[in-house]
Amino acid sequence: MTILVTGGLGYIGSHTVVELLQNGFQVIIVDDMSNSEKFILDNIEKVAGKRPVFFPFDLRRKELLAQVFDAYEIDGCINFAAFKAVGESQEKPLDYYENNLFSLINILQEFKNRNISNFIFSSSCTVYGQADQQPIDEDTPLKTPESSYGKTKQMGEEILKDFATAYKKKVSLLRYFNPIGSHPSALLGELPIGIPNNLVPYVTQTASGIREQLSIWGNDYDTPDGTAVRDYIYVVDLAKAHVKALQKLMAETSETVIDIYNLGTGKGSSVLEVVESFERANDVKVPYKICDRRDGDITVAYANADKAERELGWKAETSLDEALRTTWEWQKYLESRK
Ligand code: UDP
């Protein structure tokens, strides 16, 4: 089976490519390198023992995409390619809508025209906004996300539901909670551009001295220690869920399938707990200061991921400490490359 993985050199994409290769799939990556680097391709090969086919182009280039579909018999797609910086999406909403949605539609057109099914979409728990209840299951009502980034995820889901219904296709919408960590080999991980926005890359860069101190955005939330709570899911666990979701889609006998799964651990951790866990796992200090709340942040979000366990036989296995240990190993690897 041959799977097109868009954004396959990115953070979650590269880990998923490794899992696909290790499970016997052929992989074709399309990635425009806007948020990734070529050495990741070499490292995928080192980890998986196989080199995926790679095309560096922007998925808005329809004619190049069609050539890939002409050249290979593609059985499915996992679509990671997207801009993902929440703050930037507020400044450049049109860039986000254009990049994230046009590229999605271009692939779906190829699927429609060539009679291909099995499409997996990277969605996000941001589609729930500040949910009225925790933990969040898949039936929790969606709220319009604050950011344009979040809206592209919600719109992407709607596009895929219509696509599956109208053209009798199988799709899986995977709603990630907060992905963290790196591959145990320390050869794959997140490559934040500039000053990280996300918590764990910022913590990591603070521990290594690149940043002076972590700003904790608010300690007056209605949570046990006052800092905001999220569900941090280890990226390799997350990658494995994609293979399970794909295998389930492929085994489905119905023509039309719309699967939706929350991918999280089911456990909420506060910002302070993440800092403490990082310090404990790596025996390093993370200096921090408490600051005002960050605009647009919600108080708490953690998953009920029972549906994924029931239907995919998947569940998160890696502890927060262990995930944060791999993050530190990756940081050391990055520094050794300089
Ligand atoms: N956070 C923080 N300092 C930072 C980055 C993030 O205190 O430098 C907090 C943020 O306010 C949120 C949590 O860490 O409560 C997770 O933030 P992240 O941006 O990683 O994910 P998201 O907000 O999308 O859940």
Side-chain angles (χ1 to χ4, degrees), residues 86 125 178 196-203 214-218 221 227-230 232 271 294 297-299:
V86 174
C125 66
N178 291 55
N197 282 307
N198 293 115
L199 177 63
V200 169
Y202 206 104
V203 165
L214 169 73
S215 299
I216 294 186
W217 306 125
Y221 284 103
T227 63
V229 167
R230 299 286 185 275
Y232 296 93
V271 177
R294 184 169 71 176
D297 269 355
I298 55 173
T299 305

Side-chain angles (χ1 to χ4, degrees), residues 233-234 237 240 265 314-319:
I233 165 90
Y234 181 48
D237 287 340
K240 289 181 175 160
T265 66
W314 171 90
K315 117 173 187 290
E317 283 168 351
T318 309
S319 69

